[in-house]
Amino acid sequence: MAALFGRRMRRGAASTAVAAAAMAALSASGAPSAVGEQPAASAAERPSAGASGQEDPSVTGDSPYHTDLPPLKGPGRNDPPDETPATGSAESGIPATVLDAYRKAEASLAASNPRCRVPWELLAAIGKVESGHARGGRLDTNGTTPSPILGPVLNGVGFANISDTDGGAYDGDTLHDRAVGPMQFIPQTWESWGRDGNGDGRRDPNNIYDAALAAGSYLCAHDRDLTVERDLHQAILGYNRSQEYLRTVLHWYDYYRKGAHEVPDGSQPAPGAPTGTGGKTPSPAPVRPGTPSPSPTKPGKPDKPSKPGDGSSSKPTPPPTTPPPTTPPPTTPPPTTPAPATRLVDLGDGALSAPAGERFAERPAVRAERADKKPAAQAKVRFTLTGETGTTFEGGATTVTVTTKADGVAKAPALLAGGKPGALTVKATLLGTTEPVTLGLRGEVTAPRADKLVRTDETELTCEAGATFEGRIALTATRDGQAAPGVAATATVLAGADPADGEKAADQGPYFLTPGDEPAEDRRTRELTLTTDAKGNLLLPELHTDDTTGTFRLRVETTGGAVVVLELKVTDPA
């Protein structure tokens, strides 16, 4: 799961009153077009983020979020909420790099998943309530936050209890997970949904381009169409299962749809701590023992202490103290830096192998270990493919870098076999050591296969002795319902109509002629090998007969075990 954290704090009582007025106006006059007001639901009643009947993990771990509502138009901010925001207003400004990331994510998803139709304004609304647009656009030239934006420790105190899933690689915490980055993904969800949005070959939750594309991909899950209200609401609730969160995001979404403009990166104030609770009731903030409570200053002489009684004493009145809390606040020990990895261990159970054009069943995997042979978390392992088979990792890359988790395991993405059979090697290199440690994992791309073979016509195969069968036999090979090109096939003429007659090639009856300049008698064969063409088609040579009459079988079998047996009848001459 991924926990979303950044929220913008309300700015004092005045902002709180404005937000309350906005909500009241929305309830009384009807919400904006993007806002579907719904009654608050208990945890058991909240809709799932996925398809009907399917419960997905919340992206944010239901962490806090910024609860500010967009301002209303007009000096008094009492106009109806469906008014267009004032042009150039501070609240409608989005930092330039952040806005560019939202728009590029929309364009990328429009190409890869046109059904979803995710609008950049929705990504902006989520980015607003999660991190205040990456703390007001405080990013480097690549779109990465100078320091991580981290959510609260998900240790079960006020929030979900999520034990560490990444060895601290993303959030620096080896005990519990924390939400990370401008769109606040917890490590486990980032592993599934992380994307490379800026084309640098890395998936970094702290990069706004990567995080925005990942958020859009998550919102589009389960074949959603975000122009459908139900799909839109389910997508947002997948981030944080709170009806209040849904309403907050929808208000910002509608606000940005009515007008938003670009502002320089870092020109807006960074948001304070988030105030939303993700549907949970926060505990009161602990007060340090002995801390005086602030008291209002009396008009008059502020430097003269108050005196008891008639004011004759010069001894100041001691400030009131607040009793210590009954239960001390929980603390989380600081994360420790693990010992570095020194070696790699192959976790494979044999050679990697797959037919050409198919996915390897096994993914290359190694374990990084320290000098004491214990697993090493947060180690960097680079996987590199070598060979002439055309094999790649899923996504088309031939080199990927993976960070080990708490168990020390680094698993490469799935391998996609190229079209050329042959040997390959996956090199796993442990980075960050004085002398990099490398393992060579052997693999092989085997001949392409077919799982189905069918004849393309049903003409009876009958011929007189000493003549040639009319027409050529045509078949089509497929794999998983798709054409299977380049698949080897063997065609054999067998004696007799019954399988009990044997599977060896006949020594008389129908035959093929191999190419060549030799006499036809020397080129006769009853067994030959062919290969399917680019469309999976197989066209056998002409089939001739000698003077032997009777019933024969023609057996055609492909690599992968697809078989067709045809009956051949040779009759006496007319």
Side-chain angles (χ1 to χ4, degrees):
M1 293 188 306
L4 297 163
F5 165 66
R7 292 172 200 160
R8 193 158 185 174
M9 288 191 69
R10 304 186 182 211
R11 296 186 296 276
S15 294
T16 304
V18 171
M23 290 302 292
L26 289 167
S27 299
S29 63
S33 58
V35 181
E37 292 291 340
Q38 300 178 19
S42 66
E45 295 168 336
R46 292 173 193 148
S48 164
S52 178
Q54 180 175 355
E55 180 76 10
D56 276 355
S58 161
V59 171
T60 68
D62 295 341
S63 291
Y65 55 91
H66 293 288
T67 56
D68 275 354
L69 292 172
L72 304 180
K73 186 181 177 183
R77 300 194 176 190
N78 291 320
D79 294 337
D82 57 353
E83 291 290 334
T84 303
T87 302
S89 67
E91 290 296 343
S92 63
I94 300 176
T97 300
V98 181
L99 180 58
D100 184 54
Y102 296 150
R103 286 174 168 162
K104 285 185 175 176
E106 177 192 57
S108 176
L109 289 164
S112 63
N113 189 356
R115 169 182 165 78
C116 179
R117 292 181 278 194
V118 59
W120 69 262
E121 294 92 342
L122 178 59
L123 297 175
I126 292 175
K128 174 71 173 178
V129 301
E130 293 303 335
S131 68
H133 300 312
R135 293 173 176 160
R138 282 155 178 78
L139 304 163
D140 64 18
T141 55
N142 295 319
T144 303
T145 58
S147 59
I149 300 175
L150 296 175
V153 177
L154 298 176
N155 57 6
V157 181
F159 309 106
N161 187 355
I162 305 176
S163 299
D164 175 65
T165 61
D166 67 329
Y170 293 120
D171 55 15
D173 193 327
T174 57
L175 296 178
H176 296 89
D177 271 349
R178 302 177 69 175
V180 182
M183 303 302 277
Q184 290 289 283
F185 277 85
I186 58 172
Q188 182 179 350
T189 304
W190 182 258
E191 281 297 314
S192 300
W193 293 99
R195 298 290 186 268
D196 177 14
N198 60 354
D200 63 357
R202 300 178 63 236
R203 299 184 305 155
D204 184 358
N206 298 297
N207 181 275
I208 185 60
Y209 290 96
D210 295 359
L213 183 57
S217 300
Y218 181 88
L219 295 172
C220 290
H222 305 297
D223 199 29
R224 293 190 185 107
D225 177 355
L226 297 186
T227 62
V228 176
E229 184 179 84
R230 180 177 180 274
D231 285 0
L232 174 66
H233 289 192
Q234 286 186 335
I236 297 171
L237 287 168
Y239 243 84
N240 190 310
R241 291 192 179 90
S242 160
Q243 292 292 329
E244 194 63 35
Y245 179 86
L246 172 65
R247 284 189 286 269
T248 303
V249 170
L250 288 176
H251 282 302
W252 281 108
Y253 172 38
D254 195 76
Y255 184 73
Y256 286 138
R257 288 200 309 167
K258 292 177 178 177
H261 65 282
E262 176 184 306
V263 297
D265 291 344
S267 62
Q268 295 176 320
T275 57
T277 61
K280 299 179 177 63
T281 303
S283 302
V287 180
R288 199 178 302 167
T291 302
S293 299
S295 55
T297 305
K298 260 187 176 182
K301 298 180 179 180
D303 56 343
K304 188 174 183 180
S306 304
K307 297 178 183 179
D310 58 2
S312 60
S313 171
S314 61
K315 193 173 183 181
T317 303
T321 60
T322 304
T326 307
T327 304
T331 58
T332 300
T336 58
T337 303
T342 59
R343 71 175 197 148
L344 293 176
V345 177
D346 182 11
L347 298 182
D349 56 3
L352 300 163
S353 179
E358 298 189 39
R359 182 190 299 266
F360 282 69
E362 184 180 354
R363 291 166 56 185
V366 297
R367 183 174 61 247
E369 294 183 347
R370 307 190 307 237
D372 57 4
K373 296 187 178 181
K374 291 184 177 180
Q378 304 179 51
K380 301 288 185 182
V381 178
R382 183 173 62 214
F383 292 94
T384 305
L385 280 167
T386 61
E388 303 297 327
T389 64
T391 300
T392 66
F393 293 110
E394 192 169 33
T398 56
T399 299
V400 295
T401 300
V402 179
T403 302
T404 62
K405 297 185 178 181
D407 57 3
V409 173
K411 186 173 286 189
L415 289 171
L416 302 179
K420 185 178 180 181
L424 61 87
T425 301
V426 183
K427 292 183 178 179
T429 303
L430 178 61
L431 305 178
T433 58
T434 306
E435 295 183 5
V437 179
T438 299
L439 281 181
L441 313 178
R442 302 294 179 182
E444 180 186 15
V445 175
T446 60
R449 66 178 181 87
D451 54 27
K452 189 174 183 179
L453 184 66
V454 296
R455 189 182 173 201
T456 56
D457 66 72
E458 298 181 357
T459 304
E460 185 177 2
L461 298 172
T462 302
C463 182
E464 294 179 358
T468 300
F469 283 83
E470 183 178 352
R472 296 168 63 180
I473 299 172
L475 306 103
T476 298
T478 58
R479 178 179 64 249
D480 299 329
Q482 303 295 320
V487 176
T490 301
T492 308
V493 176
L494 307 174
D498 192 330
D501 294 331
E503 297 296 316
K504 289 185 179 181
D507 54 8
Q508 57 184 356
Y511 61 88
F512 300 104
L513 287 177
T514 60
D517 298 328
E518 297 85 359
E521 290 289 332
D522 298 332
R523 293 187 287 116
R524 290 185 180 186
T525 182
R526 293 180 173 87
E527 186 172 13
L528 53 78
T529 300
L530 305 164
T531 302
T532 60
D533 65 14
K535 295 183 178 180
N537 296 325
L538 197 65
L539 185 62
L540 275 58
E542 286 185 329
L543 194 58
H544 309 277
T545 66
D546 57 15
D547 56 2
T548 307
T549 61
T551 301
F552 301 85
R553 287 169 292 142
L554 175 63
R555 187 177 192 272
V556 185
E557 181 176 7
T558 69
T559 303
V563 178
V564 165
V565 179
L566 306 174
E567 187 175 79
L568 307 176
K569 293 182 179 180
V570 181
T571 62
D572 291 323

